[in-house]
C-alpha cells in the first residue's frame, strides 16, 4: 500500500534541528530524517526511545569472557597441561593472572564483532543491498525530513516552508 509523504529539504543542520522541534511541537509525526553526517541531539529532538545496544554489548562481552575462560581451562588445564615458566598446570585459579589478557581480548573481540553483526541485522543491511535514500543530495550537503501526509497538503507545505525548508516535494512512499 502506498501513501503520500512530504520530503522537506534543509541546507543547514541547525535549521533542521529547530524545524524538527517545531514539527514535533505541532504534533506531526516525523517518519525519517536523512542527513549526510550525524547530527548531535537529533534523536532526542525526534523523540526516539533510548537504544538497548549497550545491553547487548555487555551480554556479548560476557559471552566472550565465558568462552575465553572455558577455552583456556579446557586447552591449558584439562586437555594439554604444560609447565610454562614454572606455572602450575593443574589449576585455572593459579594461572588466572596469565589468562587475564586473553580474557580481556576475547571479551572485546566478541563484543565488537557481534555488535557489528547485530547492527547490520537490525538495520537490514547486507552486501549488495540497494540504497533506500530518497534523495541523493542527502549524502552530500542536504538534510531531508520525511513526514506522512495526514491532512491538508498545502497547509503542511506552508508550515514546512516557515520552518526553513529550501525545497518541498510530495511523493508516494512505497
Amino acid at each position: 500500500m502506498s501513501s503520500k509523504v512530504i520530503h522537506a529539504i534543509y541546507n543547514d543542520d541547525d535549521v533542521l534541528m529547530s524545524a524538527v522541534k517545531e514539527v514535533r511541537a505541532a504534533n506531526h509525526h516525523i517518519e525519517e530524517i536523512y542527513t549526510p553526517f550525524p547530527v548531535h541531539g537529533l534523536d532526542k529532538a525526534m523523540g526516539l526511545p533510548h537504544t538497548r545496544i549497550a545491553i547487548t554489548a555487555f551480554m556479548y562481552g560476557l559471552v566472550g569472557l565465558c568462552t575465553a575462560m572455558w577455552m583456556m581451562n579446557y586447552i591449558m588445564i584439562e586437555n594439554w597441561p604444560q609447565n610454562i615458566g614454572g606455572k602450575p598446570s593443574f589449576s585455572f585459579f593459579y594461572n588466572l593472572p596469565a589468562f587475564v589478557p586473553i580474557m580481556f581480548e576475547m571479551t572485546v573481540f566478541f563484543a565488537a564483532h557481534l555488535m557489528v553483526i547485530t547492527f547490520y541485522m537490525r538495520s537490514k543491511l547486507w552486501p549488495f543491498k540497494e540504497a533506500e535514500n530518497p534523495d541523493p543530495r542527502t549524502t552530500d550537503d542536504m538534510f531531508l525530513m520525511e513526514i506522512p501526509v495526514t491532512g491538508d497538503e498545502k497547509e503542511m507545505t506552508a508550515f514546512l516552508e516557515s520552518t526553513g525548508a529550501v525545497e518541498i516535494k510530495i511523493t508516494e512512499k512505497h
Side-chain angles (χ1 to χ4, degrees):
M1 180 173 140
S2 297
S3 60
K4 287 186 176 183
V5 292
I6 296 177
H7 289 164
I9 298 176
Y10 298 86
N11 59 2
D12 187 79
D13 57 336
D14 293 328
V15 175
L16 172 76
M17 186 65 83
S18 63
V20 167
K21 292 175 183 174
E22 288 180 44
V23 169
R24 293 259 305 147
N27 293 324
H28 296 293
H29 174 69
I30 299 172
E31 190 70 31
E32 188 65 68
I33 295 181
Y34 299 90
T35 64
F37 54 83
V39 178
H40 180 70
L42 188 60
D43 53 342
K44 288 182 183 177
M46 288 179 64
L48 297 176
H50 289 287
T51 180
R52 296 183 305 262
I53 201 126
I55 296 168
T56 60
F58 180 73
M59 290 189 307
Y60 294 153
L62 284 179
V63 168
L65 179 66
C66 293
T67 302
M69 290 173 64
W70 172 82
M71 180 187 72
M72 289 181 302
N73 185 56
Y74 178 74
I75 293 170
M76 298 297 291
I77 306 301
E78 293 176 18
N79 189 26
W80 194 8
Q82 296 180 24
N83 186 355
I84 300 173
K87 293 181 178 76
S89 60
F90 58 84
S91 172
F92 182 82
F93 177 72
Y94 289 132
N95 287 310
L96 193 59
F99 291 160
V100 168
I102 298 167
M103 292 187 297
F104 172 75
E105 292 298 332
M106 289 292 282
T107 301
V108 172
F109 179 84
F110 270 67
H113 286 78
L114 292 175
M115 287 296 295
V116 168
I117 292 168
T118 301
F119 173 75
Y120 284 144
M121 288 173 50
R122 190 80 178 111
S123 301
K124 297 181 181 135
L125 293 174
W126 54 85
F128 312 110
K129 182 177 189 275
E130 190 173 323
E132 297 176 4
N133 195 352
D135 192 329
R137 293 178 294 172
T138 59
T139 61
D140 294 330
D141 61 350
M142 295 299 213
F143 303 85
L144 186 140
M145 183 188 316
E146 186 175 89
I147 303 170
V149 176
T150 55
D152 185 21
E153 293 175 12
K154 291 183 182 181
E155 180 184 329
M156 189 65 179
T157 302
F159 172 69
L160 290 171
E161 283 176 354
S162 71
T163 64
V166 294
E167 184 180 329
I168 296 174
K169 291 188 274 186
I170 300 173
T171 62
E172 293 288 324
K173 181 168 181 142
H174 301 285

